[in-house]
Amino acid sequence: MALSAFPCPRPRSLFPCLHSHPCRSIPLISPSLHATRTVLSHVAAHPATSPLVWAAATAPRSVERSDPSIEENGALFKVLEEQGLGKGAGQKLEGKRNGSMGRERSVHDYMELAPQFITSDGGPPRWFCPLDCGPPPKDAPVLLFLPGMDGTGLGMILHHTVLGKLFEVCCLHIPVQDRTSFEGLARIVEAMLHEIDSNMNLKPIYIVGDSLGGALALTVAARNPTMDLVLILSNPGNPILMAMVNVQTNLSPLKQVQQLSDNLVALLPTLPRLSNVIPKEALLWKLKLLHSAAAYTNSRLHAVKAEVLLLVSGKDQVLPSTEEAKRLRSSLRNCRVRYFKDNGHTLLLERMTNLATVIKSTGLYRRFMKRDCVEDFIPPTPQEFDATEHNLRFLEQWISPIFFSTVNNGKIVKGLTGVPREGPLLFVGNHMLLGLESGLIVKEFFKQRKQLVHGAAHPFLFTNSFEGNMVEPLGIPDLLRLFGAVPVSGKNLFKLLANNKCVLLYPGGEREGLHRKDEEYKLFWPNQPEFVRMAARFNATIVPFSAVGEDEILEVCFDYDDFKINPIINKLLKQGDGTIPRIRSEADGEAYNQFLRIPIIAPKLPGRLYVLFGRPYLTTGRRHELQNKERAYELYWEIKREIEVGISYLQEKRKQDPCRDLLSRLVYEFPWGNNVPVPTFDP
């Protein structure tokens, strides 16, 4: 692979075996990347002019070999030092591999390794694959990291372990003494992209750009509009311009650089040790590089067709990141923003940011050309569950939900004991206003059983129109995607049940979820028993559930009928109807011949939320029987009646709840704390 920035001969072999390689002291590409891209075997003959690709890594997938021994890894670590990547870099990495792979990374790891990477090695820019990413999963796309001001390539060190479970991670290292132009850096990245693309057809390539790396990523995307790229840019912009605000112009060039250096260090308080190792002439070169990067990139923004996600800090003391994000969002055709209001400029080196979670929750993760919300879904980790639990904690404390289930003999018990554990499961029930109970049901199953329930939600909730412009991470759209919710459709229901999943379905849909006044517990089901037939096709168990409590928590003040009779409001709302996807638009009846209208609501001094899971309906062995339309309708209406009976049961029994109102619950929790279960009625 010859790069135009550094002319060099084409390597002889496309997939050489690690054991048979003629020179074991040559830096090699990472294990899985090694199996799909060229090893630059010519680097030994051209150490100063070849774009080296190196990694401290295990064996490639394509080579049958046992787990590498410490001695083998030690040889690779020695290679890093022999190639001038800093004295002791190998030992540092080895220590991280052998002693700390199980713990969380922190900014201290960056501070420990960065000085080793900043020392001069006389080499050109090169790629490396972090050892702690581990072997990537099957069909994993490639993620390239383009560094910011430091050039080390260690800017994602806090995220290596989790990203390694989703991607093949490869980072660009730009030595401190390197003077490659911005155009040359762009050609190096492009060469890697073309090499990956030629060996991994139909897969997207992810690029994470930090600061200066963001400008580089946008340039490469603009020059390669036909390539399937996904850009994730962290505070993209020009740190030097901000640092130069207070630089006196009447000083000598050397003193200007000194003051610039001091300003940069002051703007980056988490990285003070770097000021001792970045030479002043290197900072001057960065200044020129960033100026050319800004001009080069801004002139090509219109050509960027890639998906772009901007990660923006609200407390960025280095860049006006918010203003820059607004400018980029208006200039790029396919751009979204996540706004981290409490983070600073070094966003990727702060604990509050989990890059893997951001990628998953924004729906950017996919393995092939088009995202499949079922096949490309990655379940949330326990850490992600803990990090997002606070989003529902206030609601839980406010309405104190209580769950009941029905065991085999028909007895109702507290908890989820009566709900089957084996899938596929199809939960169907009444839709409370705004899906008040949905998130709590999903959380309860994940918390109690580590069982994920995929909600089937309105497609509008997954659109950019609903998402908005400057969105904080892990809002409603992000939580829906993170916990496996999918746009409701027959196709998605088919895929979920075929993959033995648990699905939460509301046959009443938006008509129930956005109901009118005094319709709290009225079911609006279509005359289409399709979910019964779908369940029977995959031997799924249908679990009806009833939810009660909305009438004591929320009140509808302005509903669909009120919007309709107000000519001014109705006209304004109709202008946006064309952008909102409709469900069952061809169905008959008043329940479906209406557009999406979110009612205006007011909270009440809350009562309590009750959810009852009814008797499960097995469809195993009934596929042929339920293909009969009449038999399918019989089961369909029976399930509906079961839900209505459950609603009536809960409405009556809640009268016996000693902690039905908020005041009673607060009195009970005062001496015990809010972590103690609040008592309720005996079922």
Side-chain angles (χ1 to χ4, degrees), residues 13-24:
S13 175
L14 186 60
F15 303 118
C17 173
L18 183 61
H19 287 299
S20 61
H21 201 283
C23 182
R24 286 299 301 274

Side-chain angles (χ1 to χ4, degrees), residues 54 238 290 476 546 564 566 573 583 628:
W54 60 270
N238 196 331
L290 283 164
I476 292 177
S546 309
K564 194 173 181 179
N566 189 306
L573 292 174
I583 304 174
N628 181 287

Side-chain angles (χ1 to χ4, degrees), residues 163 360 373 481 499 512 561 661:
L163 288 177
K360 290 160 59 177
C373 59
R481 298 187 191 96
N499 284 277
E512 281 181 20
D561 293 333
D661 60 274

